[in-house]
Amino acid sequence: MTRAAPRRAGRPASACVLLAALALSGCGIADSGPGYAGAPARGAPTKTADRTLRITLVAPHGSWTVTRSAPAGAGPQQALDALLAGPTTAERARGITTALPSGRHRVRAVAAPGAVDLYLPWLVPELARTAVNQLVCTAAAAPGVPGGKRPVDVVVRVHESGLTGSPWHVRCDETGAAAPADAPRTTGPAPGSAHRPSAEGRRDERSNAVESEGPP
């Protein structure tokens, strides 16, 4: 259960942007396409997965998952470090990129039973929807998350830079996009519509009305 958090003065617009970003991402609008490589959320953990890091990057037509060798005892922090390091030279030559901001940044990742806490150096509305997908899906697919849950069932708690109160509870859905943790499960994007999650108990006293909206 999330808890109510104090309103942060001067940022009402950013709350709306964040809700819209998650709603659109949850429907796969940002990342769907013929080049989609498969969501890192699919499938149960395997011994092979424990020895690799599954990093969500971006190809010309959608999300693209690459693997990196996992050092002994690797966990979500190593996966996020690899994500922020970006594509290799060979991957860039194949058109694989990242939507995360350039420069030297660090996302702190802490594993918990069935969950990963991400402490961002940004506010979520400052990021592209695709970048949010990359962060959430890389964390959800990381090795070393206690509880043995599938990546689609791992809750990612997103803590925004400079904000106090409850984090955002999201997951990497079956389409490989970030979606509210309490959103209905789906096997694929619903054409032409996106459902905004309940916002009761979220920061900035967001409305709990459920709305429907089309692609931008």
Side-chain angles (χ1 to χ4, degrees):
M1 177 180 299
T2 57
R3 59 184 188 278
R7 179 172 185 149
R8 183 177 176 84
R11 302 206 64 88
S14 67
C16 297
V17 173
L18 178 55
L19 283 172
L22 285 178
L24 292 175
S25 296
C27 274
I29 293 171
D31 286 332
S32 62
Y36 181 62
R42 295 174 185 261
T46 65
K47 292 183 178 180
T48 299
D50 292 338
R51 296 195 297 269
T52 61
L53 304 174
R54 293 176 59 82
I55 310 303
T56 301
L57 296 173
V58 183
H61 300 290
S63 297
W64 195 267
T65 301
V66 301
T67 60
R68 301 278 190 266
S69 296
Q77 186 63 63
Q78 287 70 31
L80 269 295
D81 289 347
L83 173 63
L84 266 68
T88 64
T89 301
E91 289 163 353
R92 289 188 182 278
R94 292 163 48 206
I96 298 173
T97 61
T98 181
L100 288 163
S102 60
R104 296 177 64 87
H105 303 285
R106 187 172 190 267
V107 173
R108 187 162 66 93
V110 180
V116 178
D117 284 280
L118 292 184
Y119 296 86
L120 306 186
W122 317 280
L123 292 171
V124 171
E126 297 172 346
L127 300 173
R129 293 192 299 267
T130 307
V132 177
N133 294 344
Q134 288 183 256
L135 291 162
V136 171
C137 291
T138 297
V145 179
K149 290 189 175 182
R150 299 179 307 153
V152 288
D153 297 319
V154 172
V155 174
V156 180
R157 298 186 290 246
V158 180
H159 304 258
E160 299 174 80
S161 176
L163 296 184
T164 59
S166 70
W168 286 93
H169 290 66
V170 295
R171 60 183 177 84
C172 181
D173 73 7
E174 290 83 353
T175 72
D182 57 358
R185 298 297 177 115
T186 178
T187 56
S193 68
H195 295 286
R196 191 166 296 188
S198 169
E200 184 176 355
R202 300 290 191 181
R203 283 190 299 273
D204 301 323
E205 300 173 354
R206 298 172 175 87
S207 169
N208 63 0
V210 177
E211 302 174 8
S212 177
E213 63 187 34

